[in-house]
């Protein structure tokens, strides 16, 4: 892969300011971790997304989709090839009692938009930091609600660069999972079926959930949010707390003293530090309680020595 050739060819598809070379991905992740992307691409139209995908397939250039980096760890060696960001796709609109939100919009903002429109059903998402696309990818949820409860359908681009409308039930949405990665879909926008409600009642629920989040989560430090899925019959945070792991870490990363389900970048951690803490937690909980903690967070990219 010749970088100058790829740059020249990408400029036939996108404006120059939509293509960043050797972009530091730590600037695009909530953990503030991650090496460089060879090409960081921010298309502004659906047609540009389609053309970038088709180009990557045709030229066999590695291709990775990155949301707003809230539930992902990028390794210190960064990501080879094209990293596609849909951060320019942020529009949110109302259609009847539905909210239609583009993939790059924050799911928090979709929840707040629903409040302003006096629509109920997205309150649970008022504290989830990911994008709409990322929320669909992992069927994000909190406080008893999840994306599959209100998703009607989504507009996607498939592996061949073609656009389709896909119904919610076709995504196989389950606890923190979907078939989006398996199918190779890129979500462009999502339509949520909501109900008419009362502004003050909706706001009261969102204010309560926001208070719970801010009082319990270590928002003062960079983190990827909740690291582990809830194991059947247990709570991950309780298992970690009972393993006396809070405050323990590797390098600049440690298990939060405020919420054991979080690992924080407390002091200029590397991605290797962060991943090492994840593995330490998994090994300790397995040894102490016989429970295997499964990661909710995705790990992307290469180790530094491989870059």
């Amino acid at each position: 892969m010749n970088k100058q050739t790829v740059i020249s060819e990408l400029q036939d598809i996108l404006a120059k300011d939509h293509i960043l070379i050797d972009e530091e991905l730590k600037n695009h992740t909530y953990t503030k971790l991650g090496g460089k992307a060879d090409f960081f691409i921010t298309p502004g139209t659906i047609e540009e997304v389609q053309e970038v995908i088709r180009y990557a397939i045709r030229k066999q250039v590695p291709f990775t989709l990155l949301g707003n980096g809230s539930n992902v760890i990028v390794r210190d060696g960064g990501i080879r090839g094209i990293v596609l960001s849909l951060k320019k796709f942020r529009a949110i609109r109302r259609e009847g009692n539905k909210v239609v939100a583009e993939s790059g919009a924050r799911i928090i903002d979709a929840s707040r938009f629903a409040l302003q429109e006096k629509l109920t059903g997205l309150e649970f998402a008022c504290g989830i930091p990911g994008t709409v696309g990322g929320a669909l990818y992992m069927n994000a949820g909190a406080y008893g609600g999840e994306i599959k409860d209100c998703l009607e359908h989504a507009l996607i681009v498939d592996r061949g660069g073609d656009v389709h409308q896909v119904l919610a039930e076709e995504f196989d949405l389950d606890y923190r999972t979907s078939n989006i990665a398996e199918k190779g879909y890129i979500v462009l926008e999502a339509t949520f079926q909501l109900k008419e409600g009362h502004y003050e009642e909706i706001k009261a629920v969102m204010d309560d959930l926001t208070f719970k989040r801010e009082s319990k989560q270590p928002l003062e430090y960079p983190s990827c949010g909740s690291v582990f899925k809830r194991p059947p019959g247990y709570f991950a945070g309780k298992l970690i707390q009972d393993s006396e792991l809070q405050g323990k870490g590797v390098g600049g990363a440690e298990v939060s003293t405020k919420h054991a389900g979080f690992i924080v970048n407390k002091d200029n951690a590397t991605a290797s530090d962060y991943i090492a803490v994840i593995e330490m937690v998994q090994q300790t909980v397995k040894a102490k309680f016989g429970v295997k903690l499964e990661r909710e967070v995705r790990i992307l990219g290469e180790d530094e020595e491989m870059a």
Side-chain angles (χ1 to χ4, degrees), residues 119-141:
L119 294 173
T120 180
L122 264 180
E123 291 90 329
F124 72 90
C126 69
I128 297 174
T131 61
V132 168
L136 264 66
Y137 181 95
M138 63 174 295
N139 185 30

Side-chain angles (χ1 to χ4, degrees), residues 54-94:
R54 289 168 179 160
Y55 169 79
I57 293 168
R58 188 170 66 250
K59 296 292 185 175
Q60 297 185 315
V61 178
F63 179 89
T64 303
L65 179 68
L66 183 69
N68 69 346
S70 61
N71 196 245
V72 68
I73 298 166
V74 176
R75 295 182 188 272
D76 299 309
I79 300 177
R80 303 288 66 79
I82 292 171
V83 173
L84 182 73
S85 167
L86 297 182
K87 66 180 183 178
K88 294 185 186 297
F89 288 70
R90 293 194 296 262
I92 304 172
R93 65 185 187 274
R94 178 175 182 168

Side-chain angles (χ1 to χ4, degrees), residues 74-253:
V74 176
R75 295 182 188 272
D76 299 309
I79 300 177
R80 303 288 66 79
I82 292 171
V83 173
L84 182 73
S85 167
L86 297 182
K87 66 180 183 178
K88 294 185 186 297
F89 288 70
R90 293 194 296 262
I92 304 172
R93 65 185 187 274
R94 178 175 182 168
E95 293 183 359
N97 285 345
K98 300 172 186 178
V99 167
V100 183
E102 290 185 342
S103 176
R106 298 190 309 162
I107 192 67
I108 288 175
D109 291 334
S111 178
R112 290 172 179 165
F113 179 87
L115 166 65
Q116 295 302 320
E117 296 294 318
K118 301 176 186 176
L119 294 173
T120 180
L122 264 180
E123 291 90 329
F124 72 90
C126 69
I128 297 174
T131 61
V132 168
L136 264 66
Y137 181 95
M138 63 174 295
N139 185 30
Y143 300 108
E146 54 188 350
I147 290 297
K148 75 173 184 177
D149 297 337
C150 55
L151 179 69
E152 182 185 83
H153 65 264
L155 196 68
I156 65 95
V157 178
D158 66 17
R159 285 191 176 107
D162 296 321
V163 176
H164 305 276
Q165 182 174 292
V166 179
L167 297 175
E169 53 265 32
E170 297 179 71
F171 287 116
D172 294 340
L173 298 171
D174 205 345
Y175 176 65
R176 302 300 178 266
T177 187
S178 72
N179 64 13
I180 289 174
E182 174 191 337
K183 297 281 189 180
Y185 293 158
I186 293 176
V187 176
L188 296 171
E189 68 176 29
T191 298
F192 300 102
Q193 179 65 64
L194 306 177
K195 296 178 181 178
E196 290 187 5
H198 300 283
Y199 179 90
E200 291 302 330
E201 292 177 6
I202 298 168
K203 186 174 186 300
V205 171
M206 291 174 65
D207 286 348
D208 179 56
L209 296 182
T210 299
F211 173 78
K212 288 178 179 176
R213 175 175 178 261
E214 292 178 349
S215 62
K216 294 179 180 178
Q217 297 182 11
L219 303 178
E220 64 272 25
Y221 293 112
S223 83
C224 64
S226 182
V227 178
F228 303 104
K229 296 180 180 181
R230 185 179 66 244
Y234 299 90
F235 291 98
K238 183 69 163 58
L239 290 170
I240 297 165
Q241 182 177 333
D242 291 347
S243 297
E244 300 180 343
L245 288 170
Q246 286 179 280
K248 295 186 178 179
V250 176

Side-chain angles (χ1 to χ4, degrees), residues 291-303:
V291 179
K292 181 181 179 181
L293 292 181
E294 185 180 349
R295 277 190 289 106
E296 181 176 308
V297 62
R298 290 189 301 149
I299 298 177
L300 303 175
E302 304 178 352
D303 289 322

Side-chain angles (χ1 to χ4, degrees), residues 50 185 267 275:
Q50 292 177 282
Y185 293 158
D267 186 18
I275 294 166

